[in-house]
Amino acid sequence: MTGYVLRRLGGALIVLFLLSALVYLLFYVAPGDPAKLACGPRCNAEQIRQVRGQLGLNEPLLTQYLHFLQGLVTGRDYSTGTGVLHCDAPCFGLSYQNDQPVTELLAARLPVTASLAWGAMVLWLLLGVGTGLLSALRRGGLTERVLTVFTLTGSATPVFITGLLLLMVFCAYLQWLPFPSYVPLSEDPEQWAWNLLLPWTALALLESAKYARLTRSSTLETLAEDHIRTFRAYGVRERTVIGRHALRGALPPVIALNAIDLGTMFGGAMLTETLFGLPGLGQLLVHSVRTVDLPVVVGTVLGIGTAVVLANAVADVLYALADRRVTLT
Amino acid sequence: MTNQHEAGIRRRLRARPSAVAAAAVLAVLALLALGAPLLAALEGQDPTTYHDRLIDSARGGVPLGAYGGISGDHWLGVEPGTGRDLFARLLYGAQVSLLVALGATVVQVLIGVLVGLAAGFGSRFADSVLSRFTDVMLSLPTLVFAVALTAVVPAGFPRPLLLILVIGLLDWGGTSRIVRAQTLSLKKLDYVAAARLGGSPPWRVARRELLPALAAPVITYAAVRVPVNIVAEASLSFLGIGVKPPTASWGQMLSTATTWFRADPLYVLLPAAFLLVTVLALTVAGDAVRTALDPRERSRLRVGTRDGSRGAAEPRGAAV
């Protein structure tokens, strides 16, 4: 077991390492001259040359990449000509816009994205697993048909359309909810939840369709298994059969999928954050792409990549732990 | 394919009312997109001219008149803030949407088939390297990388082509997995073995024996990809990194609509309706194609299997 977990995490680390090399290569080699971008549009040739020296862009590419990796582990210093800017580990570099360490920018955005992810997860699990179970237990008939329509439209509707429709109904027409603006949880929990309710719902409506489908098929599969038939034959109450035994068999794939989705959400829900104006990681990425702030782009992409790769590894391990039929080798 | 076989496919497609309806909707959409210049000329408008007289500058640029300024001159009203004709913009938006989605699907299929064939038909080493690579590509969040990639492309690069390449180059993992799995099982069949023993070089076996047999599963999967790619293009445009203004696209209109949803609801509803109808029609059509090409497949929704979350054909997570 421990061996499997270690191997899986080791594999994830290798992927992350390759990812860092790929992203670094792409963003620091492809786009013409990073020094020009870092310096800004009004720089003359002399200033650009200076910036190039400060960023270490005169060194060979491999050395630059090693410095980048080193910065990730130990932090690094940038000389600005007049002084030294220190960038703590893990250092993704400094923003071209205002010389702020990228790590700080990411850390400032994380609570917003985390709030969005956790809340949405609770909603989509309630909604998705609930409807999935319901339709598995009442096969055929109206429930199943409604679910079919729900899953088809739910997963086909882009989140910004769902969000816009929600805004039109609850914010403009009924005026029950405010246009979301992020209030930190530590400041005012009630306002925090009240403001995030619409984004959570928009995400949950999108995701829950997938969960409903998965829960349904997984439950049906479990219910058809021999041990369930045996429990029923022994006269175990239906509630116990479903609630204790069928659910235990049906949930592992749901748990695994959830780990992946949560990882993706932690990487920033770009569309949702952009629509509702929430200052999370996704919005940071979109903004840094528009301003061609390469260190921030690289930092965000690597941060998001890490979240997703780790989530995939965790999903595999959770799946193996939750489903005792999977033998780990 | 024999004529009889093709007739069977056509019969199964026609037997489903939903498939016929979806096909009709798609035909209308294609006509609207292709005929955009003609239809706009018929209306007497174009998608880029500003009409300051039609918007209420005192109220921030809300269209004058009821329902977003619908009139005999502007069949679907005008855009708030600019007064550009909405009918023309929606039609030209359809062009972008369909062009990018179809182009990206072609790129995905090409890469997916090449990688999948090489993995399934090549050496064991090639298989393990390519399969790992595919796994990594599948686990990456496509939209994030698509957004990031647009940051490093020169500003002059043609935008629709960029969108096609970005979506196509990032999201071919599913196709490649399916092609690899099919190739592995085809490889064991007698006729393929006979061709190999007959001394044909591998690439000729792949082209003449494997590719025809791969057509059905690849077409099936490609059909499912198109609506996903439509949403991807709309998402990128929504984030402001799609086609450059003043070119119209549905995603960009919806992005502008975030500031107008109170004052001009129709400006949200129209592009949303166009996008949704397109995606739904393509989804239903894709499902129908799958059923028609594989008669054993019952006409049911694609359900996740026990390991559905890691399965080959399971579409990856939706863009959030």
Side-chain angles (χ1 to χ4, degrees):
Chain A
M1 180 68 223
T2 328
Y4 172 78
V5 174
L6 286 179
R7 249 197 317 280
R8 190 65 189 76
L9 290 179
L13 275 182
I14 293 175
V15 170
L16 278 179
F17 177 74
L18 290 175
L19 192 68
S20 79
L22 194 76
V23 170
Y24 189 86
L25 201 72
L26 216 66
F27 292 115
Y28 280 85
V29 182
D33 190 355
K36 211 185 248 168
L37 288 167
C39 195
R42 273 185 292 259
C43 277
N44 58 33
E46 172 61 22
Q47 282 166 312
I48 291 177
R49 212 177 49 77
Q50 222 172 335
V51 169
R52 190 169 293 140
Q54 284 163 18
L55 292 175
L57 293 171
N58 292 325
E59 295 167 75
L61 187 70
L62 190 64
T63 323
Q64 285 187 46
Y65 175 60
L66 288 178
H67 276 307
F68 177 74
L69 281 187
Q70 194 190 358
L72 279 178
V73 182
T74 62
R76 67 195 279 196
D77 292 317
Y78 291 92
S79 66
T80 56
T82 48
V84 173
L85 273 176
H86 183 67
C87 171
D88 287 324
C91 172
F92 289 105
L94 305 175
S95 161
Y96 288 166
Q97 298 286 310
N98 49 16
D99 282 345
Q100 236 186 320
V102 173
T103 319
E104 269 176 31
L105 289 171
L106 295 179
R109 302 297 189 116
L110 192 60
V112 185
T113 297
S115 303
L116 190 62
W118 285 113
M121 184 196 82
V122 171
L123 272 188
W124 84 54
L125 281 181
L126 284 176
L127 201 62
V129 176
T131 39
L133 268 180
L134 198 70
S135 79
L137 298 181
R138 299 200 189 140
R139 288 200 70 183
L142 192 66
T143 329
E144 193 166 5
R145 215 172 281 185
V146 169
L147 181 89
T148 309
V149 173
F150 170 62
T151 47
L152 194 67
T153 47
S155 50
T157 312
V159 69
F160 46 88
I161 290 189
T162 323
L164 273 168
L165 295 180
L166 285 173
L167 277 175
M168 278 170 65
V169 174
F170 292 101
C171 184
Y173 185 68
L174 296 172
Q175 305 202 332
W176 287 354
L177 292 165
F179 189 91
S181 71
Y182 180 70
V183 180
L185 176 63
S186 52
E187 245 170 54
D188 187 344
E190 198 189 326
Q191 278 302 311
W192 171 80
W194 199 237
N195 273 293
L196 283 171
L197 194 54
L198 279 180
W200 284 343
T201 314
L203 280 174
L205 283 175
L206 174 80
E207 293 286 323
S208 56
K210 197 168 56 181
Y211 283 86
R213 213 164 56 203
L214 184 64
T215 310
R216 175 176 176 277
S217 63
S218 175
T219 310
L220 286 179
E221 233 174 277
T222 315
L223 282 177
E225 272 171 28
D226 289 346
H227 73 281
I228 297 291
R229 192 197 53 198
T230 312
F231 279 128
R232 282 182 172 153
Y234 269 92
V236 178
R237 271 190 312 172
E238 189 64 13
R239 239 175 55 197
T240 321
V241 173
I242 306 282
R244 190 171 301 162
H245 303 291
L247 266 187
R248 164 173 291 172
L251 286 184
V254 178
I255 295 172
L257 181 63
N258 195 52
I260 295 176
D261 281 339
L262 196 61
T264 315
M265 293 277 166
F266 258 83
M270 274 188 298
L271 297 167
T272 315
E273 286 173 5
T274 304
L275 169 62
F276 292 106
L278 299 170
L281 288 172
Q283 204 200 39
L284 178 67
L285 175 62
V286 175
H287 183 74
S288 60
V289 164
R290 284 199 196 135
T291 54
V292 204
D293 196 344
L294 288 180
V296 184
V297 176
V298 170
T300 326
V301 169
L302 280 183
I304 292 173
T306 312
V308 172
V309 169
L310 285 183
N312 271 292
V314 169
D316 281 353
V317 173
L318 275 182
Y319 184 73
L321 282 178
D323 192 338
R324 277 171 291 175
R325 280 165 307 184
V326 176
T327 30
L328 300 169
T329 47
Chain B
M1 278 190 238
T2 61
N3 281 333
Q4 204 182 354
H5 184 62
E6 277 174 31
I9 292 174
R10 270 202 296 275
R11 186 166 38 77
R12 281 196 293 277
L13 275 175
R14 271 201 302 271
R16 298 183 50 164
S18 61
V20 176
V25 170
L26 290 177
V28 171
L29 270 168
L31 279 179
L32 287 180
L34 288 174
L38 207 68
L39 286 164
L42 198 66
E43 190 200 19
Q45 304 295 339
D46 66 85
T48 48
T49 307
Y50 284 43
H51 299 282
D52 291 336
R53 290 178 298 101
L54 298 174
I55 52 173
D56 188 350
S57 50
R59 288 198 298 143
V62 182
L64 291 164
Y67 301 110
I70 289 184
S71 66
D73 287 337
H74 298 275
W75 296 348
L76 292 178
V78 294
E79 186 179 58
T82 64
R84 289 183 289 195
D85 184 71
L86 213 46
F87 178 72
R89 287 189 77 70
L90 283 165
L91 295 194
Y92 277 92
Q95 285 186 342
V96 173
S97 214
L98 294 175
L99 174 77
V100 171
L102 292 175
T105 309
V106 170
V107 176
Q108 286 168 355
V109 165
L110 283 179
I111 301 179
V113 168
L114 278 181
V115 174
L117 259 183
F121 208 53
S123 68
R124 187 175 281 184
F125 175 72
D127 184 22
S128 70
V129 169
L130 288 173
S131 295
R132 250 305 133 79
F133 185 48
T134 308
D135 286 347
V136 172
M137 289 305 289
L138 268 174
S139 72
L140 294 181
T142 315
L143 193 62
V144 169
F145 275 79
V147 167
L149 272 179
T150 54
V152 301
V153 175
F157 200 84
R159 276 324 241 205
L161 185 62
L162 172 65
L163 292 174
I164 289 174
L165 287 179
V166 158
I167 301 172
L169 290 177
L170 284 170
D171 208 358
W172 45 264
T175 318
S176 137
R177 268 198 192 173
I178 285 178
V179 170
R180 173 180 173 271
Q182 291 283 334
T183 309
L184 283 180
S185 60
L186 285 171
K187 207 160 71 168
K188 298 199 191 83
L189 296 184
D190 286 344
Y191 81 98
V192 181
R196 291 168 87 182
L197 286 174
S200 299
W203 58 267
R204 188 186 293 165
V205 178
R207 191 169 57 85
R208 293 182 48 175
E209 317 295 344
L210 296 179
L211 271 186
L214 286 170
V218 168
I219 290 173
T220 305
Y221 193 63
V224 182
R225 298 296 322 164
V226 181
V228 178
N229 291 338
I230 294 252
V231 172
E233 185 276 328
S235 301
L236 286 171
S237 297
F238 179 81
L239 293 173
I241 33 204
V243 288
K244 281 261 185 316
T247 311
S249 93
W250 297 339
Q252 169 267 321
M253 294 168 99
L254 285 164
S255 152
T256 320
T258 44
T259 50
W260 294 103
F261 70 92
R262 284 174 216 269
D264 189 2
L266 212 65
Y267 187 54
V268 178
L269 293 177
L270 282 173
F274 267 81
L275 185 56
L276 274 188
V277 166
T278 310
V279 170
L280 277 180
L282 283 167
T283 310
V284 172
D287 203 48
V289 167
R290 189 171 52 98
T291 324
L293 287 180
D294 185 1
R296 283 163 302 179
E297 186 85 44
R298 289 273 146 257
S299 60
R300 58 177 164 78
L301 264 183
R302 190 173 44 249
V303 289
T305 51
R306 176 158 286 281
D307 55 352
S309 61
R310 342 285 286 150
E314 184 73 9
R316 37 197 299 170
V320 290

